[in-house]
Every structure is written in C-alpha cells, then in structure tokens.
Coordinates of all heavy atoms in Angstrom, one line a residue:
M12 N 3.5 5.3 1.8 CA 3.6 4.1 2.6 C 4.2 3.0 1.8 O 4.3 3.1 0.6 CB 2.2 3.6 3.0 CG 1.4 4.6 3.8 SD -0.2 3.9 4.3 CE -0.3 2.4 3.4
F13 N 4.7 2.0 2.5 CA 5.4 0.9 1.9 C 4.7 -0.4 2.2 O 4.5 -0.7 3.4 CB 6.9 0.8 2.3 CG 7.7 -0.1 1.6 CD1 8.0 0.0 0.2 CD2 8.2 -1.2 2.2 CE1 8.7 -0.9 -0.5 CE2 9.0 -2.1 1.6 CZ 9.3 -2.0 0.2
V14 N 4.3 -1.1 1.2 CA 3.5 -2.4 1.5 C 4.3 -3.5 0.9 O 4.8 -3.5 -0.2 CB 2.1 -2.3 0.7 CG1 1.4 -3.6 0.9 CG2 1.3 -1.2 1.2
T15 N 4.5 -4.6 1.7 CA 5.2 -5.8 1.3 C 4.4 -7.0 1.4 O 3.3 -7.0 2.0 CB 6.6 -5.9 2.1 OG1 6.2 -6.1 3.4 CG2 7.5 -4.8 1.9
Q16 N 5.0 -8.1 1.0 CA 4.3 -9.5 1.0 C 3.1 -9.5 0.1 O 2.1 -10.2 0.4 CB 4.0 -9.9 2.4 CG 5.3 -10.1 3.2 CD 5.0 -10.8 4.6 OE1 3.9 -10.8 5.0 NE2 6.0 -11.3 5.2
L17 N 3.1 -8.9 -1.0 CA 2.1 -9.0 -2.0 C 2.3 -10.2 -2.9 O 3.4 -10.5 -3.3 CB 2.0 -7.7 -2.9 CG 1.7 -6.4 -2.1 CD1 2.1 -5.2 -3.0 CD2 0.3 -6.4 -1.7
V18 N 1.2 -10.8 -3.3 CA 1.3 -11.9 -4.2 C 1.6 -11.4 -5.6 O 1.3 -10.2 -5.9 CB 0.0 -12.8 -4.3 CG1 -0.2 -13.5 -3.0 CG2 -1.2 -11.9 -4.6
L19 N 2.2 -12.2 -6.5 CA 2.6 -11.7 -7.8 C 1.4 -11.4 -8.7 O 1.6 -10.6 -9.6 CB 3.5 -12.7 -8.5 CG 4.9 -12.9 -7.8 CD1 5.8 -13.9 -8.5 CD2 5.6 -11.5 -7.8
R20 N 0.3 -12.0 -8.4 CA -0.9 -11.7 -9.3 C -1.6 -10.4 -8.8 O -2.5 -9.9 -9.5 CB -1.8 -12.8 -9.3 CG -2.6 -13.1 -8.0 CD -3.6 -14.2 -8.2 NE -4.4 -14.3 -7.0 CZ -4.0 -15.0 -5.9 NH1 -2.9 -15.7 -5.9 NH2 -4.8 -15.1 -4.9
A21 N -1.2 -9.8 -7.7 CA -1.8 -8.5 -7.3 C -1.4 -7.4 -8.3 O -0.3 -7.3 -8.8 CB -1.2 -8.1 -5.9
T22 N -2.4 -6.5 -8.5 CA -2.3 -5.4 -9.5 C -2.4 -4.1 -8.7 O -2.9 -4.1 -7.6 CB -3.3 -5.5 -10.6 OG1 -4.6 -5.3 -10.0 CG2 -3.2 -6.8 -11.4
E23 N -2.1 -3.0 -9.4 CA -2.2 -1.7 -8.8 C -3.7 -1.5 -8.5 O -4.1 -0.9 -7.5 CB -1.7 -0.6 -9.7 CG -0.2 -0.7 -9.8 CD 0.4 0.3 -10.8 OE1 -0.4 1.1 -11.5 OE2 1.6 0.3 -11.0
K24 N -4.6 -1.9 -9.4 CA -6.0 -1.8 -9.2 C -6.5 -2.5 -7.9 O -7.3 -2.0 -7.2 CB -6.7 -2.3 -10.4 CG -8.2 -2.1 -10.4 CD -8.9 -2.6 -11.7 CE -10.4 -2.5 -11.6 NZ -11.1 -3.1 -12.7
D25 N -6.0 -3.7 -7.7 CA -6.4 -4.5 -6.5 C -6.0 -3.8 -5.3 O -6.8 -3.7 -4.3 CB -5.7 -5.9 -6.5 CG -6.2 -6.8 -7.6 OD1 -7.3 -6.7 -8.1 OD2 -5.4 -7.7 -8.0
I26 N -4.8 -3.3 -5.2 CA -4.3 -2.6 -4.0 C -5.0 -1.3 -3.8 O -5.5 -1.0 -2.7 CB -2.8 -2.3 -4.2 CG1 -2.0 -3.6 -4.3 CG2 -2.2 -1.5 -3.0 CD1 -0.6 -3.5 -4.9
R27 N -5.3 -0.5 -4.9 CA -6.0 0.8 -4.7 C -7.4 0.5 -4.2 O -7.9 1.1 -3.3 CB -6.0 1.5 -6.1 CG -6.8 2.8 -6.1 CD -6.9 3.4 -7.5 NE -5.6 3.4 -8.2 CZ -4.7 4.5 -8.1 NH1 -5.0 5.5 -7.4 NH2 -3.6 4.4 -8.8
S28 N -8.1 -0.5 -4.8 CA -9.4 -0.8 -4.4 C -9.5 -1.3 -3.0 O -10.4 -0.9 -2.2 CB -10.0 -1.9 -5.3 OG -11.2 -2.4 -4.9
Y29 N -8.6 -2.1 -2.5 CA -8.6 -2.6 -1.1 C -8.4 -1.4 -0.2 O -9.2 -1.3 0.8 CB -7.4 -3.6 -0.9 CG -7.2 -4.0 0.5 CD1 -8.1 -4.8 1.1 CD2 -6.1 -3.5 1.2 CE1 -8.0 -5.2 2.5 CE2 -6.0 -3.9 2.6 CZ -6.9 -4.7 3.2 OH -6.7 -5.0 4.5
F30 N -7.5 -0.5 -0.4 CA -7.3 0.6 0.6 C -8.4 1.6 0.5 O -8.8 2.2 1.5 CB -5.9 1.2 0.3 CG -4.8 0.5 1.0 CD1 -4.0 -0.4 0.2 CD2 -4.6 0.6 2.3 CE1 -3.0 -1.1 0.8 CE2 -3.6 -0.2 2.9 CZ -2.8 -1.0 2.2
R31 N -9.0 1.8 -0.7 CA -10.2 2.7 -0.8 C -11.4 2.1 -0.1 O -12.1 2.8 0.7 CB -10.5 3.0 -2.3 CG -9.9 4.2 -2.8 CD -10.5 4.6 -4.1 NE -9.6 5.4 -4.9 CZ -9.6 5.5 -6.2 NH1 -10.4 4.7 -6.9 NH2 -8.7 6.2 -6.7
K32 N -11.8 0.9 -0.6 CA -13.1 0.4 -0.1 C -13.1 -0.3 1.2 O -14.0 -0.1 2.0 CB -13.6 -0.6 -1.2 CG -13.9 0.1 -2.5 CD -14.4 -0.8 -3.6 CE -14.6 -0.1 -4.9 NZ -14.8 -1.0 -6.0
K33 N -12.1 -1.1 1.5 CA -12.1 -1.9 2.7 C -11.5 -1.1 3.9 O -12.0 -1.2 5.0 CB -11.3 -3.2 2.6 CG -11.8 -4.1 1.5 CD -13.1 -4.7 1.9 CE -13.6 -5.6 0.8 NZ -14.8 -6.3 1.0
V34 N -10.5 -0.3 3.6 CA -9.8 0.5 4.7 C -10.4 1.9 4.9 O -10.4 2.5 5.9 CB -8.3 0.5 4.5 CG1 -7.6 1.2 5.6 CG2 -7.8 -0.9 4.3
G35 N -10.9 2.4 3.8 CA -11.5 3.8 3.8 C -10.5 4.9 3.7 O -10.7 6.0 4.2
C36 N -9.5 4.7 2.9 CA -8.5 5.7 2.7 C -8.6 6.3 1.3 O -9.0 5.6 0.4 CB -7.1 5.1 2.8 SG -6.7 4.3 4.4
K37 N -8.1 7.5 1.1 CA -8.1 8.1 -0.2 C -6.7 7.8 -0.7 O -5.7 8.2 -0.1 CB -8.3 9.6 -0.1 CG -8.2 10.3 -1.4 CD -8.5 11.8 -1.3 CE -8.4 12.4 -2.7 NZ -8.3 13.8 -2.7
V38 N -6.6 7.2 -1.9 CA -5.4 6.8 -2.5 C -5.1 7.6 -3.7 O -5.9 7.7 -4.6 CB -5.4 5.3 -2.9 CG1 -4.1 4.8 -3.6 CG2 -5.7 4.4 -1.7
N39 N -3.9 8.3 -3.7 CA -3.5 9.1 -4.9 C -2.8 8.2 -5.9 O -3.1 8.4 -7.1 CB -2.6 10.2 -4.5 CG -3.4 11.4 -3.8 OD1 -4.6 11.4 -3.8 ND2 -2.6 12.2 -3.2
E40 N -1.9 7.4 -5.5 CA -1.1 6.6 -6.5 C -0.6 5.3 -5.8 O -0.3 5.3 -4.6 CB 0.1 7.5 -6.9 CG 0.8 6.9 -8.1 CD 1.9 7.8 -8.6 OE1 2.1 8.9 -8.1 OE2 2.5 7.5 -9.7
V41 N -0.5 4.3 -6.7 CA 0.1 3.0 -6.3 C 1.2 2.7 -7.3 O 1.0 2.7 -8.5 CB -0.9 1.9 -6.3 CG1 -0.3 0.5 -6.0 CG2 -2.1 2.1 -5.3
I42 N 2.4 2.5 -6.7 CA 3.6 2.2 -7.6 C 4.1 0.8 -7.2 O 4.7 0.7 -6.1 CB 4.7 3.2 -7.5 CG1 4.1 4.6 -7.8 CG2 5.9 2.9 -8.3 CD1 5.0 5.7 -7.5
L43 N 3.9 -0.2 -8.0 CA 4.5 -1.5 -7.8 C 6.0 -1.5 -8.2 O 6.3 -1.0 -9.3 CB 3.8 -2.6 -8.6 CG 2.4 -3.0 -8.1 CD1 1.6 -3.8 -9.1 CD2 2.5 -3.7 -6.8
L44 N 6.9 -2.0 -7.4 CA 8.3 -2.1 -7.7 C 8.5 -3.3 -8.6 O 8.1 -4.4 -8.3 CB 9.1 -2.2 -6.4 CG 9.0 -1.0 -5.5 CD1 9.8 -1.2 -4.2 CD2 9.3 0.3 -6.1
K45 N 9.1 -3.1 -9.8 CA 9.2 -4.1 -10.8 C 10.7 -4.5 -11.1 O 11.5 -3.7 -11.0 CB 8.5 -3.7 -12.1 CG 7.1 -3.4 -11.9 CD 6.3 -3.2 -13.2 CE 4.9 -3.0 -12.9 NZ 4.1 -2.9 -14.1
D46 N 10.8 -5.7 -11.5 CA 12.1 -6.3 -11.9 C 12.4 -5.7 -13.3 O 11.6 -5.8 -14.2 CB 12.1 -7.8 -11.9 CG 13.4 -8.4 -12.2 OD1 14.0 -8.1 -13.2 OD2 13.9 -9.2 -11.4
K47 N 13.6 -5.2 -13.5 CA 14.0 -4.6 -14.8 C 14.0 -5.7 -15.9 O 13.6 -5.4 -17.0 CB 15.3 -3.9 -14.7 CG 15.3 -2.7 -13.9 CD 16.7 -2.1 -13.9 CE 16.7 -0.8 -13.0 NZ 18.0 -0.2 -12.9
R48 N 14.5 -6.9 -15.6 CA 14.6 -7.9 -16.7 C 13.2 -8.5 -17.0 O 12.9 -8.7 -18.2 CB 15.6 -9.0 -16.2 CG 17.0 -8.5 -16.3 CD 18.0 -9.6 -15.9 NE 17.8 -10.0 -14.5 CZ 17.9 -11.2 -14.0 NH1 18.3 -12.1 -14.8 NH2 17.7 -11.4 -12.8
T49 N 12.5 -8.9 -16.0 CA 11.2 -9.7 -16.3 C 10.0 -8.8 -16.4 O 9.0 -9.2 -17.1 CB 11.0 -10.7 -15.2 OG1 10.7 -10.0 -14.0 CG2 12.1 -11.7 -15.0
G50 N 10.0 -7.6 -15.8 CA 8.9 -6.7 -15.8 C 7.8 -7.1 -14.7 O 6.8 -6.4 -14.6
N51 N 8.0 -8.2 -14.0 CA 7.1 -8.6 -13.0 C 7.4 -7.8 -11.7 O 8.5 -7.4 -11.5 CB 7.3 -10.1 -12.6 CG 6.9 -11.0 -13.8 OD1 6.1 -10.7 -14.6 ND2 7.6 -12.2 -13.8
H52 N 6.4 -7.6 -10.9 CA 6.6 -6.8 -9.7 C 7.3 -7.7 -8.6 O 7.2 -8.9 -8.7 CB 5.4 -6.1 -9.2 CG 4.3 -6.9 -8.6 ND1 4.4 -7.3 -7.3 CD2 3.2 -7.4 -9.0 CE1 3.4 -8.1 -6.9 NE2 2.6 -8.1 -8.0
K53 N 7.9 -7.1 -7.7 CA 8.7 -7.8 -6.7 C 8.0 -8.2 -5.4 O 8.6 -8.6 -4.4 CB 10.0 -7.0 -6.3 CG 10.9 -6.8 -7.5 CD 12.1 -5.9 -7.1 CE 13.0 -5.7 -8.2 NZ 14.2 -4.9 -7.7
G54 N 6.7 -7.9 -5.4 CA 5.9 -8.2 -4.2 C 5.8 -7.0 -3.2 O 5.4 -7.2 -2.0
C55 N 6.2 -5.8 -3.6 CA 6.1 -4.7 -2.7 C 5.7 -3.5 -3.6 O 5.8 -3.4 -4.8 CB 7.4 -4.4 -2.0 SG 8.9 -4.4 -3.0
A56 N 5.1 -2.5 -2.9 CA 4.6 -1.3 -3.5 C 4.7 -0.1 -2.6 O 4.7 -0.2 -1.4 CB 3.2 -1.5 -3.9
Y57 N 4.8 1.1 -3.3 CA 4.7 2.4 -2.6 C 3.2 2.9 -2.8 O 2.8 2.8 -3.9 CB 5.7 3.4 -3.1 CG 7.1 3.2 -2.6 CD1 8.1 2.7 -3.4 CD2 7.4 3.5 -1.2 CE1 9.3 2.5 -2.9 CE2 8.7 3.3 -0.7 CZ 9.6 2.8 -1.6 OH 10.9 2.6 -1.1
I58 N 2.6 3.4 -1.8 CA 1.3 3.9 -1.9 C 1.3 5.4 -1.4 O 1.7 5.6 -0.3 CB 0.2 3.1 -1.1 CG1 0.3 1.7 -1.6 CG2 -1.2 3.7 -1.3 CD1 -0.6 0.7 -0.8
E59 N 0.8 6.3 -2.2 CA 0.7 7.7 -1.8 C -0.8 7.9 -1.4 O -1.7 7.7 -2.2 CB 1.0 8.6 -3.0 CG 0.9 10.1 -2.6 CD 1.2 11.0 -3.8 OE1 2.0 10.6 -4.6 OE2 0.6 12.0 -3.8
M60 N -1.0 8.3 -0.1 CA -2.3 8.5 0.4 C -2.7 10.0 0.1 O -1.8 10.9 0.1 CB -2.4 8.3 1.9 CG -2.2 6.8 2.2 SD -3.6 5.9 1.6 CE -3.1 4.3 2.0
G61 N -4.0 10.3 0.0 CA -4.5 11.6 -0.2 C -4.5 12.5 1.0 O -4.4 13.7 1.0
R62 N -4.6 11.8 2.2 CA -4.6 12.6 3.5 C -3.7 11.9 4.5 O -3.6 10.7 4.5 CB -6.0 12.5 4.1 CG -7.1 13.2 3.2 CD -8.5 13.0 3.8 NE -8.9 11.7 4.0 CZ -9.8 11.0 3.3 NH1 -10.4 11.6 2.3 NH2 -10.1 9.8 3.5
M63 N -3.0 12.7 5.3 CA -2.1 12.1 6.3 C -2.8 11.3 7.3 O -2.3 10.3 7.9 CB -1.3 13.3 7.0 CG -0.2 13.9 6.1 SD 1.0 12.7 5.5 CE 1.7 12.1 7.0
E64 N -4.1 11.6 7.6 CA -4.9 10.8 8.6 C -5.0 9.4 8.1 O -5.2 8.5 8.9 CB -6.2 11.4 8.8 CG -6.2 12.9 9.2 CD -6.2 13.8 8.0 OE1 -7.0 13.6 7.0 OE2 -5.4 14.8 8.0
D65 N -5.0 9.2 6.8 CA -5.2 7.8 6.3 C -4.0 6.9 6.5 O -4.2 5.7 6.4 CB -5.6 7.9 4.8 CG -6.9 8.5 4.5 OD1 -7.8 8.5 5.4 OD2 -7.2 8.9 3.4
V66 N -2.9 7.5 6.8 CA -1.7 6.7 7.0 C -1.9 5.8 8.2 O -1.6 4.6 8.2 CB -0.4 7.5 7.1 CG1 0.8 6.7 7.5 CG2 -0.2 8.3 5.8
N67 N -2.4 6.3 9.3 CA -2.6 5.5 10.5 C -3.6 4.4 10.3 O -3.5 3.3 10.8 CB -3.0 6.4 11.7 CG -1.9 7.3 12.1 OD1 -0.7 7.0 12.0 ND2 -2.2 8.5 12.7
K68 N -4.7 4.7 9.5 CA -5.7 3.7 9.2 C -5.1 2.6 8.4 O -5.4 1.4 8.7 CB -6.8 4.3 8.4 CG -7.9 5.1 9.1 CD -9.1 5.2 8.3 CE -9.4 6.7 8.0 NZ -10.6 6.8 7.1
A69 N -4.2 2.9 7.5 CA -3.6 1.9 6.6 C -2.6 1.1 7.4 O -2.6 -0.2 7.2 CB -3.0 2.6 5.4
V70 N -1.8 1.7 8.2 CA -0.9 0.9 9.0 C -1.6 0.0 10.0 O -1.1 -1.1 10.3 CB 0.1 1.9 9.8 CG1 0.9 1.2 10.8 CG2 1.0 2.7 8.8
A71 N -2.8 0.3 10.4 CA -3.5 -0.5 11.3 C -3.9 -1.8 10.7 O -4.2 -2.8 11.4 CB -4.8 0.2 11.8
V72 N -4.0 -1.9 9.4 CA -4.4 -3.2 8.7 C -3.2 -4.1 8.5 O -3.3 -5.2 7.9 CB -5.2 -3.0 7.4 CG1 -6.5 -2.2 7.7 CG2 -4.4 -2.3 6.4
A73 N -2.0 -3.7 8.9 CA -0.8 -4.5 8.7 C -1.0 -5.8 9.5 O -1.6 -5.9 10.6 CB 0.4 -3.8 9.2
G74 N -0.7 -6.9 8.8 CA -0.8 -8.2 9.5 C -2.2 -8.9 9.2 O -2.4 -10.0 9.6
Q75 N -3.0 -8.2 8.4 CA -4.3 -8.8 8.0 C -4.3 -9.1 6.5 O -3.8 -8.4 5.7 CB -5.5 -7.8 8.3 CG -5.6 -7.4 9.7 CD -6.7 -6.4 9.9 OE1 -7.5 -6.1 9.0 NE2 -6.7 -5.8 11.1
P76 N -4.9 -10.2 6.1 CA -4.9 -10.6 4.7 C -5.9 -9.7 4.0 O -7.1 -9.6 4.4 CB -5.3 -12.0 4.7 CG -5.9 -12.3 6.0 CD -5.4 -11.3 7.0
P77 N -5.5 -9.1 2.9 CA -6.5 -8.4 2.0 C -7.4 -9.3 1.3 O -7.1 -10.5 1.2 CB -5.6 -7.5 1.1 CG -4.4 -8.3 1.0 CD -4.2 -9.0 2.3
D78 N -8.4 -8.8 0.6 CA -9.4 -9.7 -0.1 C -8.8 -10.3 -1.3 O -9.4 -11.3 -1.9 CB -10.7 -8.9 -0.4 CG -10.4 -7.6 -1.1 OD1 -9.3 -7.3 -1.4 OD2 -11.4 -6.9 -1.4
F79 N -7.7 -9.8 -1.9 CA -7.1 -10.4 -3.1 C -6.0 -11.4 -2.9 O -5.4 -11.9 -3.8 CB -6.6 -9.3 -4.0 CG -5.6 -8.4 -3.4 CD1 -4.2 -8.7 -3.4 CD2 -6.0 -7.2 -2.8 CE1 -3.3 -7.9 -2.8 CE2 -5.0 -6.3 -2.2 CZ -3.7 -6.7 -2.2
Q80 N -5.7 -11.8 -1.6 CA -4.8 -12.8 -1.3 C -5.1 -13.5 0.0 O -5.8 -12.9 0.8 CB -3.3 -12.3 -1.4 CG -3.0 -11.3 -0.3 CD -1.5 -10.8 -0.4 OE1 -1.1 -10.5 -1.6 NE2 -0.8 -10.7 0.6
R81 N -4.5 -14.6 0.3 CA -4.8 -15.4 1.5 C -3.9 -15.1 2.7 O -4.3 -15.5 3.8 CB -4.8 -16.9 1.2 CG -5.9 -17.3 0.4 CD -6.0 -18.7 0.2 NE -5.0 -19.1 -0.8 CZ -4.8 -20.3 -1.2 NH1 -5.6 -21.3 -0.8 NH2 -3.9 -20.6 -2.1
F82 N -2.8 -14.5 2.5 CA -1.9 -14.3 3.7 C -1.7 -12.8 3.9 O -1.9 -12.0 3.0 CB -0.6 -15.0 3.5 CG 0.2 -14.7 2.3 CD1 1.1 -13.6 2.2 CD2 0.0 -15.4 1.1 CE1 1.7 -13.3 1.1 CE2 0.7 -15.1 0.0 CZ 1.5 -14.0 -0.1
P83 N -1.3 -12.4 5.1 CA -1.2 -11.0 5.5 C -0.2 -10.2 4.7 O 0.8 -10.7 4.3 CB -0.9 -11.0 7.0 CG -0.9 -12.4 7.4 CD -0.9 -13.3 6.2
I84 N -0.5 -8.9 4.7 CA 0.5 -7.9 4.1 C 1.1 -7.1 5.2 O 0.6 -7.1 6.3 CB -0.2 -7.0 3.1 CG1 -1.3 -6.2 3.7 CG2 -0.6 -7.7 1.8 CD1 -1.9 -5.1 2.8
L85 N 2.3 -6.6 5.0 CA 2.9 -5.7 5.9 C 2.8 -4.3 5.4 O 3.1 -4.0 4.2 CB 4.4 -6.1 6.1 CG 4.7 -7.4 6.7 CD1 6.2 -7.7 6.8 CD2 4.0 -7.6 8.0
V86 N 2.4 -3.3 6.2 CA 2.2 -1.9 5.8 C 3.1 -1.1 6.8 O 2.9 -1.2 8.0 CB 0.8 -1.5 5.9 CG1 0.6 -0.1 5.4 CG2 -0.1 -2.5 5.1
K87 N 3.9 -0.2 6.2 CA 4.8 0.6 7.0 C 4.7 2.1 6.5 O 4.5 2.3 5.3 CB 6.2 0.2 7.0 CG 6.5 -1.2 7.5 CD 8.0 -1.5 7.4 CE 8.3 -2.9 7.7 NZ 9.7 -3.2 7.5
A88 N 4.8 3.0 7.4 CA 4.9 4.4 6.9 C 6.3 4.6 6.3 O 7.3 4.1 6.8 CB 4.7 5.4 8.1
S89 N 6.3 5.3 5.2 CA 7.6 5.6 4.6 C 8.3 6.8 5.3 O 7.8 7.4 6.2 CB 7.4 5.9 3.1 OG 6.8 7.1 2.9
E90 N 9.5 7.1 4.8 CA 10.3 8.2 5.4 C 9.5 9.5 5.3 O 9.6 10.4 6.1 CB 11.6 8.3 4.8 CG 12.5 7.1 5.2 CD 12.8 7.0 6.7 OE1 13.0 8.0 7.4 OE2 12.7 5.8 7.1
A91 N 8.8 9.7 4.2 CA 8.0 11.0 4.0 C 7.0 11.2 5.1 O 6.9 12.3 5.6 CB 7.4 11.0 2.6
E92 N 6.3 10.1 5.4 CA 5.3 10.2 6.5 C 5.9 10.4 7.9 O 5.4 11.1 8.7 CB 4.3 9.0 6.5 CG 3.3 9.0 5.4 CD 3.9 8.2 4.2 OE1 5.0 7.6 4.3 OE2 3.2 8.3 3.1
K93 N 7.1 9.8 8.1 CA 7.7 9.9 9.4 C 8.2 11.3 9.6 O 8.3 11.7 10.7 CB 8.9 8.9 9.5 CG 8.5 7.5 9.5 CD 9.7 6.6 9.5 CE 9.2 5.1 9.5 NZ 10.4 4.2 9.4
N94 N 8.6 12.0 8.6 CA 9.1 13.4 8.7 C 8.0 14.4 8.7 O 8.3 15.6 9.0 CB 10.1 13.7 7.5 CG 11.3 12.8 7.6 OD1 11.7 12.4 8.7 ND2 11.9 12.5 6.5
Y95 N 6.8 14.1 8.4 CA 5.7 15.0 8.3 C 5.1 15.3 9.7 O 4.8 14.3 10.4 CB 4.6 14.5 7.4 CG 3.5 15.5 7.2 CD1 3.7 16.6 6.3 CD2 2.3 15.4 7.9 CE1 2.6 17.5 6.1 CE2 1.3 16.3 7.7 CZ 1.4 17.3 6.8 OH 0.4 18.2 6.6
V96 N 5.0 16.5 10.1 CA 4.4 16.8 11.4 C 2.9 17.3 11.1 O 2.7 18.3 10.4 CB 5.2 17.9 12.1 CG1 4.5 18.3 13.4 CG2 6.6 17.4 12.4
V97 N 2.0 16.7 11.7 CA 0.6 17.1 11.6 C 0.3 18.3 12.5 O 0.6 18.2 13.7 CB -0.4 15.9 12.0 CG1 -1.8 16.3 11.9 CG2 -0.1 14.7 11.1
P98 N -0.2 19.4 11.9 CA -0.4 20.6 12.7 C -1.6 20.3 13.7 O -2.5 19.6 13.4 CB -0.8 21.7 11.7 CG -1.1 20.9 10.4 CD -0.5 19.6 10.5
A99 N -1.4 20.9 14.9 CA -2.5 20.7 15.9 C -3.7 21.5 15.5 O -3.7 22.6 15.0 CB -2.0 21.2 17.2
S100 N -4.9 20.9 15.7 CA -6.2 21.5 15.4 C -6.6 22.5 16.4 O -6.6 22.2 17.6 CB -7.3 20.5 15.2 OG -6.8 19.4 14.4

C-alpha cells in the first residue's frame, strides 16, 4: 500500500502501531521514502500487509487523521495489490 500526507515527525513505529492497533491489520513492513541529501522522509511510505484482506481495511481509513497527527492521511492500494486476484472461498 502507499500512504501519503504523513507529518515529518511520523516514524515507522508510529505507522506500524496505527495500522496494527487502530485499524486491526497485520503489518509486515513499513518503508518511509527518504530524501538522499537530508535523510528526512518525504511524507509518504510503502506498507506491506501480512494479509490481502487487510488492504481493504487500511484503504477504508483514508481521509481520517491517525492518532499521531492532526490531519488526514491518504491510503491507496499499490500496483502489487491491484494485480493480485483473491481466490474464491
């Protein structure tokens, strides 16, 4: 997944904790995109979910402010999730 509009003080731990505890998703990895010169992140991150079902839960919180900042974040499915077909149960 791709998350944007993060505040500069947001950390990987903050993002992982929010999606685990508040949204109820299993998070495998959080990668903050960083500026090569300054080392600060650019306000966006890739998040790898543990289960495909969690992608829909996470996208549903788009437009809501997380507990570590005051304004909403944008959450989108990345190309990997768009190309994945969930097998019928």
Side-chain angles (χ1 to χ4, degrees):
M12 295 184 355
F13 188 65
V14 179
T15 59
Q16 294 187 344
L17 295 166
V18 292
L19 291 179
R20 70 177 186 274
T22 64
E23 292 176 1
K24 183 180 177 183
D25 293 334
I26 298 164
R27 181 184 309 270
S28 175
Y29 173 72
F30 280 100
R31 262 194 204 152
K32 294 177 182 171
K33 302 290 182 181
V34 183
C36 299
K37 181 179 180 193
V38 178
N39 286 347
E40 189 171 8
V41 176
I42 302 169
L43 286 168
L44 301 178
K45 297 187 179 187
D46 186 305
K47 290 180 182 178
R48 288 184 292 149
T49 65
N51 296 331
H52 74 81
K53 298 179 178 183
C55 50
Y57 284 107
I58 302 173
E59 180 183 325
M60 294 294 175
R62 300 177 299 252
M63 286 304 296
E64 305 86 48
D65 290 341
V66 173
N67 290 334
K68 278 198 243 180
V70 170
V72 299
Q75 298 176 12
D78 53 3
F79 56 85
Q80 67 184 41
R81 289 188 280 187
F82 55 88
I84 58 173
L85 296 178
V86 183
K87 298 179 188 176
S89 67
E90 292 301 316
E92 286 91 8
K93 291 177 185 175
N94 294 330
Y95 184 79
V96 177
V97 178
S100 312

